[in-house]
Amino acid sequence: MATVSLPVSTSALLLDIEGTTTPISFVKDILFPYIKEHLEDHLSAHWEEDECKQDVHLLKKQIEEDMKQNRACPVHTVDQTVHTDEEKAIREVVDNVLWQMAADRKSTALKQLQGHMWRAAYTSGRIKGQVYEDVIPAIRRWRSQGLKVYIYSSGSVEAQKLLFEYSIEGDVLDLFDGHFDTNIGAKVESKSYKKIAERIGCGSEEITFLTDVTREAKAAEDAGVNVVVVVRPGNMELTDEERDHYNLINSFSQLEVMGS
């Protein structure tokens, strides 16, 4: 693929993680299986702690919202007041979390719990965050050229920071000017990108968003954000129409700053 020049209006780059900075296989084959394998033990060990109670409370609120919206969900609900049968209550949480993961839900409740579990895995050295080898050199180059760099991922802000703090490249967290997750809105909704522009303090046209998901790309475009679609091994195949419509790169090294 040829190089792609950033629009001259760009002052900030907004980066997706899965399939963009980081292989999808890292998420699917390492991060998610870790949750499934350790979920019940994690809940049993931390059930009475405030952080875990908050995680369960958010999951309960999500279930209530799903029921209001008539969305499919497990038949039982999460009730942390069931201290007389703690194992049953934990089992219900486990069932709900596994159901959400199987459905590839992006709920804030799910992502918060996952982030708390991954924290233990990262800090203990059991997991190291993976990034493509072209990512860190490119970000350093962009920053040296005066651009700000932000992350926007469906994974919680805490999970994002852990990935880059405990990465195979070492602690590279200081390369990022900020982080956004689904608390600001869903990645397939254009208003989320307008909110991010407001939070950063710039116009939508000053942001260039890098993602591998064209639904996200369209939402960003609809908000007036510039878009580059990243093509990596294992990412979803693009249609011919999508390939014609979007600027495509398969390495961050192909993205050039105008006038540099």
Side-chain angles (χ1 to χ4, degrees):
M1 291 182 183
T3 58
V4 172
S5 295
L6 285 171
V8 290
S9 61
T10 299
S11 64
L13 283 152
L14 185 64
L15 311 179
D16 168 52
I17 290 180
E18 184 181 347
T20 300
T21 67
T22 297
I24 285 179
S25 58
F26 173 66
V27 178
K28 303 295 186 189
D29 300 338
I30 297 176
L31 290 184
F32 285 175
Y34 179 87
I35 298 295
K36 294 174 183 177
E37 183 179 345
H38 295 93
L39 178 58
E40 192 157 359
D41 288 344
H42 171 84
L43 292 170
S44 297
H46 303 286
W47 189 251
E48 294 297 336
E49 297 174 13
D50 288 345
E51 183 175 85
C52 188
K53 287 180 179 180
Q54 184 189 33
D55 291 342
V56 172
H57 175 69
L58 274 182
L59 286 165
K60 182 176 180 178
K61 285 180 65 178
Q62 180 65 55
I63 290 171
E64 290 171 351
E65 181 63 26
D66 286 342
M67 292 177 74
K68 285 180 185 176
Q69 300 293 331
N70 293 317
R71 296 193 191 106
C73 61
V75 291
H76 43 246
T77 59
V78 177
D79 186 358
Q80 202 180 6
T81 64
V82 185
H83 295 295
T84 55
D85 193 353
E86 186 176 293
E87 288 185 1
K88 178 173 177 289
I90 289 173
R91 187 68 250 171
E92 289 176 352
V93 177
V94 170
D95 288 348
N96 180 267
V97 169
L98 295 180
W99 170 78
Q100 289 201 56
M101 291 180 69
D104 197 25
R105 294 289 297 275
K106 309 291 186 184
S107 74
T108 299
L110 173 65
K111 296 303 179 181
Q112 177 173 300
L113 172 63
Q114 289 175 330
H116 291 156
M117 289 186 62
W118 287 325
R119 180 177 59 207
Y122 280 115
T123 55
S124 67
R126 298 177 74 173
I127 291 177
K128 283 194 177 294
Q130 294 183 16
V131 291
Y132 286 108
E133 61 182 11
D134 55 271
V135 169
I136 302 306
I139 292 175
R140 289 198 169 107
R141 174 167 54 87
W142 298 333
R143 289 178 63 85
S144 73
Q145 293 164 330
L147 297 176
K148 293 191 173 182
V149 182
Y150 297 85
I151 293 289
Y152 182 28
S153 172
S154 56
S156 68
V157 165
E158 180 174 17
Q160 298 172 26
K161 289 182 175 180
L162 287 166
L163 189 154
F164 293 108
E165 183 177 1
Y166 297 95
S167 83
I168 56 175
E169 301 284 348
D171 183 355
V172 294
L173 198 52
D174 63 351
L175 293 179
F176 302 99
D177 294 281
H179 299 257
F180 301 96
D181 59 17
T182 54
N183 279 302
I184 202 135
K187 295 176 74 181
V188 294
E189 296 178 357
S190 61
K191 61 184 179 182
S192 303
Y193 299 88
K194 293 177 181 178
K195 288 180 182 177
I196 288 173
E198 290 173 8
R199 191 76 61 86
I200 291 174
C202 69
S204 298
E205 73 282 355
E206 296 177 62
I207 299 173
T208 295
F209 178 47
L210 274 61
T211 181
D212 63 307
V213 179
T214 52
R215 285 184 66 208
E216 297 172 2
K218 183 181 186 307
E221 270 191 331
D222 289 346
V225 169
N226 305 298
V227 171
V228 175
V229 172
V230 184
V231 180
R232 302 279 198 183
N235 288 3
M236 187 175 294
E237 286 290 326
L238 303 178
T239 65
D240 289 341
E241 184 179 354
E242 290 167 340
R243 287 182 171 277
D244 289 339
H245 179 74
Y246 293 108
N247 284 317
L248 308 177
I249 59 172
N250 53 30
S251 168
F252 280 16
S253 63
Q254 293 169 265
L255 203 55
E256 293 188 343
V257 178
M258 292 287 285
S260 63

